[in-house]
Amino acid sequence: MLFNSTDFFAFFGVFLLAWYLVRGDLGARNWLIVFASYIFYAWWDYRFTALLLWSSVVDYAVAIGMGRVQSSSSSFEATPSVPHVDNNDGDRSEDDKSSLRLRRKLLLLVSLVSNLGVLFFFKYFDFFRESMRALLDQFGMQMNWTGLQFILPVGISFYTFQTISYTVDVYRGRVEATRNFGQFLAYVAFFPQLVAGPIERASHLLPQLARKLTITLPMVESGLWLFIWGLFKKVVLADSFGHLVDPVFSYVDPEATQTLIATVAFAFQIYCDFSGYTDMARGMARMLGFDLMLNFNLPYFAISVQDFWRRWHISLSTWLRDYLYVPLGGNRLGVGRTHLNLLVVMLLGGLWHGAAWNFVAWGLWQAVGLMANRLWAERTFARPVRLPGALNWLLTMLFVLYGWLLFRSTSAEQVLVLTASLAHWSPPIWAGAQFRELLFLAAPLVILQLFQWRTGDHEIVLRLPRWARGALQAVLIYVILLFWQREAAPFIYFQF
Amino acid sequence: MTNDPSSKACGHGFDFSVPQLAGVLIPIVLGFALLIGLLQALAAFKWLPTARPVQGFDEVLLSHRHTMLRADHPAEIIVIGDSSSAVNIEAPLLSRLLPAEPRVLNQGMFMGIDMAIYGQAAGNFIKHHPGQVKLVVLLTTAEQLPNTRMSPYHESYWHGLFEGDDTGKPRSPASAWLAMDVARLRLANHVVPFAVHGQSGWFYGHPLFLRDHLPRHDGSTVDRGWFNRSGREDLSHWRINPDRAREAAKLRDAIPRDVTLAFGIAPMPEGYVGPEFRDQRDALMREFNEWLQADILLTNLPARLPNGYCASTVHLNQRGQEAFTRLLAEELERLGALGR
């Protein structure tokens, strides 16, 4: 079920009514979330709800297991004042402690193997099989493995990462294992953010599911604004930008102007598509009394690659930092190891987006950018030269744009064709129209974000008088209806 | 709505009253209603600019075809049919290739509308230009014949043009009530610089450029796509839709008997259909002609062309357009179509 479909509006209307009815009972509230979320997910393919349930059950049980081990371990560590009369007893408690640690590690391993195994089979198996087959072909060898050709379950990468973060946090002792199954199911399947994030941490969302929520009028107002603005970004902006993008990326001999306009349009399209989804998710959650994390912080105002990754898909970049980069050693093991860690993290980050080599190339491109950024910032090679902010921004945007060209391409051949096309300039008649459309579509977004950037206030629209905000929202709704498609276009990030 | 149960097991509470919530929602609803009211009033008092059907490729095409019905054009040959006729035949080239260079006007439309409308696009031109037209060429794709009609919007748009209404009929009652067509055609199309969608957008740019292109090419358009699909389809199950048969009879009635009607089926990519498609195409053509009663069947035209000449399963690209136009000219000359 897509947010930009009439089905969803009917679903959400019924859900709000039920939400009002269950306000007096915490358990019923969470089970309502679970029930609605599973209906929401089953709308795509009911069979994949089994995967969602499997992930939840495994991680719920694993975390409880780790919690039990933790409490046994704590009981050993909590009695240091008891004198050890028998040396053998002391030896046994050390053995027990290491055995408990081992059990916790094994439990974590069960969770990782289960989650990553499901992800691998559904998302990556055919990719690796095909890559292996192509590699063996080079050496004249044959491989007879048949592909699984599974349909990719929507949102699998998002909820898998969310549940992994939970078990790792329980393992690290940062989050207490929940014993409330309904709460945990609701945490994994919470429908506003189930299929495209933000990838929520248990430490942030679980406590909200465990307590009474108070929905205030400012929450409803800001939630409503976020939802309408997000829907506008998707239906009006992202899908219209797509019309400028798709033909060029399915074209055999593009020219420089086409490639340039299409790449810039794609930068806007993917931003409006993904951040539009996030805005709607956050808006809905806020209207229900929940707070979801900020996922985009004006990424196209970044003045370095590092800055871009602090602003773009924040829930993924912080996930990669906390659960991959830091455990690999982060920047604590010297320059060489830091760069190796960056490379590994960004390559895996690229692969997270999809099982295709263009995403690996995109990850590699981002890793190179981050490494160059670090070297420059630490002045490892360069002399201490400070570039003007505008130049920093321009260089960063050029870097990001080429990254989007890699991201949107469907083959290495296309990357080469599009890159080569940048050398073929001609004054075509259509350029004016395409360029005007690009500017026209970008204008509302750029104008609002300039205000947000200047004031540092993401919710600047909420400072408008209520009548002015109401009029603005009415116009946005009207334009959304004007652009509404009977067959809703899916969100780009659903495929990940 | 305010409730604040102090019970620990309480799910959630609302820290506002119903009038306070109404205070948030009413400005939005009111603003929305005022906007619709304003648009309806402006339309009713004719204070909005005239409709500009430029947003869609289809509307521009239909609008051009309608304008040409009474336009001062010396066409002796009219091309009609679905989008394959609009795209596959370059009218000025066909004119140059034929003896005595008779002017050709392409009035081709697209699939999904009543085929009788194709007949109107030629018949009304003939009526307004008595004694001028000698030949009508109908070209359709084989894909069109088994299909049912799909787009009542485009049909009502076409019929609306005859009544001086170029806004198109509302797509739905809700659309009319919300003044969506008024907003789209009388307002948005004057200020929103949207390019033509799809591959065509990168050739024509803005719909206004498409509008300029059509008269310069006597109504012919270009599909700049590239057919790169692999895997042939078995189309042997295709049967002519009985609706199409009825429409064919109406199409025939729109063309005077003293004007020759030639009928052909557009070629498909070799990568899409096999050599056996030729027999199937000929059979479809003969069967369809039982209702159409065309004077000439263009069975010598190729049933398939190499993928490099095709933009899609139903369109040729610019290279294919030139090749096909040459083949059509040779075939028309061979059959003496103009001398009948």
Side-chain angles (χ1 to χ4, degrees):
Chain A
M1 203 184 300
L2 297 162
F3 289 170
N4 51 330
S5 68
T6 40
D7 289 353
F8 179 76
F9 281 89
F11 163 85
F12 194 56
V14 173
F15 178 82
L16 282 180
L17 190 66
W19 186 250
Y20 180 74
L21 295 175
V22 299
R23 65 194 183 283
D25 188 328
L26 183 68
R29 181 196 78 184
N30 288 339
W31 281 108
L32 172 67
I33 292 175
V34 175
F35 179 69
S37 299
Y38 273 74
I39 298 256
F40 174 80
Y41 196 68
W43 216 259
W44 276 285
D45 194 327
Y46 68 90
R47 292 168 300 177
F48 292 135
T49 51
L51 275 182
L52 188 62
L53 187 64
W54 168 258
S55 240
S56 307
V57 169
V58 168
D59 288 325
Y60 174 73
V62 160
I64 286 186
M66 284 198 281
R68 281 197 186 129
V69 175
Q70 171 80 23
S71 52
S72 313
S73 168
S74 306
S75 66
F76 279 112
E77 285 156 11
T79 52
S81 57
V82 178
H84 291 292
V85 180
D86 185 346
N87 281 343
N88 288 336
D89 279 355
D91 291 345
R92 198 168 56 204
S93 59
E94 276 307 313
D95 287 348
D96 285 345
K97 272 195 256 180
S98 67
S99 139
L100 290 173
R101 270 197 293 272
L102 184 67
R103 277 174 61 194
R104 283 163 58 77
K105 272 194 180 145
L106 281 174
L107 283 167
L108 180 64
L109 197 66
V110 168
S111 164
L112 292 177
V113 168
S114 162
N115 284 305
L116 296 176
V118 166
L119 195 59
F120 178 82
F121 271 98
F122 279 90
K123 189 166 177 175
Y124 299 107
F125 182 83
D126 283 349
F127 167 67
F128 283 113
R129 186 195 64 88
E130 193 51 39
S131 302
M132 184 68 82
R133 192 194 57 74
L135 184 70
L136 292 177
D137 268 1
Q138 298 288 319
F139 297 102
M141 295 161 76
Q142 295 276 317
M143 192 181 79
N144 293 322
W145 294 359
T146 48
L148 298 174
Q149 289 171 343
F150 283 133
I151 309 164
L152 183 66
V154 66
I156 189 169
S157 308
F158 288 91
Y159 71 73
T160 302
F161 270 36
Q162 186 155 312
T163 53
I164 288 177
S165 78
Y166 169 70
T167 44
V168 173
D169 282 352
V170 172
Y171 173 79
R172 288 172 174 172
R174 288 182 187 166
V175 166
E176 203 175 312
T178 178
R179 290 181 173 275
N180 187 318
F181 190 48
Q183 270 172 29
F184 186 71
L185 286 178
Y187 161 69
V188 179
F190 188 45
F191 71 85
Q193 47 88 241
L194 171 62
V195 288
I199 304 167
E200 280 293 332
R201 303 295 175 81
S203 57
H204 185 229
L205 189 54
L206 261 180
Q208 297 184 61
L209 289 160
R211 67 164 190 256
K212 180 200 162 188
L213 299 167
T214 303
I215 305 166
T216 63
L217 201 61
M219 285 169 85
V220 174
E221 286 183 289
S222 70
L224 197 59
W225 161 252
L226 271 176
F227 186 81
I228 293 170
W229 178 240
L231 192 61
F232 177 82
K233 281 204 269 188
K234 167 62 184 163
V235 174
V236 179
L237 303 185
D239 293 350
S240 303
F241 280 123
H243 294 306
L244 295 173
V245 177
D246 299 340
V248 175
F249 280 87
S250 57
Y251 206 54
V252 282
D253 56 347
E255 294 153 345
T257 332
Q258 284 176 313
T259 306
L260 208 59
I261 291 176
T263 308
V264 173
F266 182 65
F268 278 108
Q269 184 196 7
I270 195 164
Y271 172 71
C272 291
D273 195 279
F274 194 15
S275 73
Y277 176 89
T278 308
D279 285 349
M280 282 187 268
R282 295 181 70 227
M284 270 185 287
R286 202 170 286 183
M287 284 188 270
L288 301 175
F290 291 95
D291 176 58
L292 297 183
M293 71 179 290
L294 186 71
N295 216 10
F296 294 91
N297 181 15
L298 310 175
Y300 293 145
F301 285 79
I303 50 168
S304 70
V305 184
Q306 209 171 14
D307 189 24
F308 177 76
W309 278 102
R310 283 194 207 108
R311 294 163 176 271
W312 178 270
H313 200 175
I314 298 166
S315 64
L316 176 69
S317 56
T318 51
W319 194 101
L320 292 171
R321 181 196 65 199
D322 295 345
Y323 301 102
L324 203 56
Y325 181 68
V326 172
L328 284 172
N331 57 2
R332 303 186 304 275
L333 304 171
V335 175
R337 183 59 191 269
T338 301
H339 287 179
L340 181 66
N341 291 343
L342 278 175
L343 183 68
V344 171
V345 168
M346 295 317 290
L347 282 177
L348 289 174
L351 208 53
W352 176 88
H353 283 84
W357 286 108
N358 64 307
F359 294 118
V360 178
W362 179 72
L364 181 65
W365 176 252
Q366 299 299 333
V368 168
L370 285 170
M371 286 190 253
N373 202 156
R374 277 195 93 85
L375 290 172
W376 181 267
E378 290 163 5
R379 299 184 179 106
T380 309
F381 298 130
R383 292 171 59 192
V385 177
R386 187 175 282 272
L387 295 176
L391 187 59
N392 274 334
W393 174 80
L394 186 65
L395 290 173
T396 306
M397 287 307 109
L398 288 175
F399 178 87
V400 169
L401 279 177
Y402 191 74
W404 289 136
L405 187 146
L406 297 174
F407 191 95
R408 180 61 179 78
S409 296
T410 48
S411 65
E413 191 190 354
Q414 188 172 45
V415 171
L416 294 175
V417 167
L418 289 167
T419 307
S421 76
L422 292 168
H424 301 293
W425 288 92
S426 59
I429 58 157
W430 42 261
Q434 309 283 354
F435 190 64
R436 273 198 302 276
E437 180 170 349
L438 184 68
L439 287 183
F440 183 85
L441 288 170
L445 185 76
V446 173
I447 290 168
L448 178 65
Q449 295 210 334
L450 273 171
F451 279 111
Q452 290 175 323
W453 177 67
R454 291 281 300 215
T455 57
D457 182 1
H458 276 258
E459 302 198 330
I460 190 166
V461 172
L462 298 174
R463 318 291 166 238
L464 289 171
R466 194 169 276 171
W467 65 267
R469 193 174 354 121
L472 176 63
Q473 286 171 316
V475 171
L476 290 182
I477 293 171
Y478 195 82
V479 178
I480 289 168
L481 288 174
L482 214 52
F483 280 74
W484 191 262
Q485 298 290 325
R486 201 163 290 172
E487 265 192 43
F491 289 85
I492 295 173
Y493 263 69
F494 277 19
Q495 61 187 296
F496 309 139
Chain B
M1 195 178 278
T2 306
N3 62 67
D4 188 18
S6 53
S7 157
K8 219 180 165 187
C10 178
H12 46 274
F14 301 92
D15 193 22
F16 52 85
S17 62
V18 172
Q20 281 176 316
L21 180 64
V24 172
L25 298 178
I26 283 174
I28 302 174
V29 176
L30 209 60
F32 191 74
L34 280 173
L35 189 60
I36 293 169
L38 183 70
L39 285 168
Q40 295 283 26
L42 288 173
F45 289 110
K46 300 193 186 303
W47 286 342
L48 284 176
T50 53
R52 192 184 203 186
V54 293
Q55 199 160 24
F57 191 102
D58 299 344
E59 285 92 341
V60 176
L61 203 70
L62 290 178
S63 180
H64 170 266
R65 290 353 184 191
H66 180 261
T67 309
M68 293 313 293
L69 296 179
R70 287 170 181 269
D72 183 17
H73 192 286
E76 291 177 56
I77 301 174
I78 309 284
V79 175
I80 56 170
D82 58 24
S83 57
S84 67
S85 62
V87 161
N88 294 2
I89 300 169
E90 166 67 355
L93 177 65
L94 182 62
S95 174
R96 285 198 301 277
L97 292 169
L98 288 169
E101 301 192 6
R103 281 290 291 274
V104 180
L105 175 64
N106 197 329
Q107 289 280 79
M109 294 174 177
F110 38 81
M111 256 199 284
I113 54 176
D114 190 333
M115 289 178 88
I117 290 176
Y118 303 159
Q120 285 180 8
N124 284 31
F125 182 90
I126 294 167
K127 198 164 79 184
H128 294 300
H129 302 78
Q132 186 180 304
V133 178
K134 296 185 176 64
L135 172 68
V136 172
V137 177
L138 168 67
L139 186 75
T140 73
T141 67
E143 204 168 280
Q144 148 129 294
L145 302 177
N147 277 344
T148 48
R149 279 158 42 199
M150 290 169 289
S151 180
Y153 164 73
H154 288 112
E155 289 179 2
S156 63
Y157 182 86
W158 171 258
H159 295 308
L161 291 170
F162 286 88
E163 292 154 22
D165 174 16
D166 55 357
T167 59
K169 293 285 183 291
R171 286 165 200 245
S172 67
S175 171
W177 188 78
L178 294 169
M180 286 288 161
D181 292 298
V182 171
R184 191 176 290 117
L185 291 152
R186 295 198 183 279
L187 214 56
N189 288 353
H190 286 270
V191 291
V192 178
F194 276 8
V196 180
H197 288 173
Q199 295 279 10
S200 304
W202 292 100
F203 188 72
Y204 299 109
H206 195 268
L208 288 178
F209 294 144
L210 168 64
R211 206 177 231 185
D212 291 344
H213 177 95
L214 291 172
R216 281 192 280 112
H217 292 262
D218 287 325
S220 294
T221 62
V222 176
D223 188 334
R224 237 188 139 198
W226 202 268
F227 183 80
N228 56 7
R229 184 173 142 178
S230 59
R232 283 182 179 165
E233 293 282 322
D234 176 20
L235 309 178
S236 58
H237 59 281
W238 279 5
R239 298 285 176 276
I240 293 174
N241 187 305
D243 284 348
R244 288 284 177 236
R246 281 190 286 275
E247 291 168 13
K250 283 198 229 163
L251 189 157
R252 173 72 257 193
D253 288 345
I255 315 282
R257 293 284 161 179
D258 60 339
V259 175
T260 306
L261 175 63
F263 168 52
I265 287 184
M268 288 188 146
E270 286 176 356
Y272 182 63
V273 288
E276 70 286 352
F277 176 67
R278 186 179 183 101
D279 289 341
Q280 190 188 359
R281 183 206 66 170
D282 290 351
L284 280 171
M285 218 189 274
R286 279 193 295 272
E287 190 187 343
F288 187 65
N289 201 42
E290 284 174 24
W291 290 281
L292 182 68
Q293 298 292 311
D295 305 298
I296 297 171
L297 287 184
L298 300 168
T299 46
N300 274 335
L301 287 176
R304 307 186 307 145
L305 280 175
N307 289 0
Y309 284 75
C310 302
S312 66
T313 56
V314 292
H315 288 175
L316 299 178
N317 57 28
Q318 211 162 1
R319 191 173 158 214
Q321 183 192 58
E322 189 187 328
F324 183 74
T325 305
R326 286 183 187 283
L327 291 168
L328 177 64
E330 282 168 20
E331 181 65 358
L332 291 176
E333 193 178 349
R334 191 183 69 79
L335 293 166
L338 276 163
R340 285 181 172 235

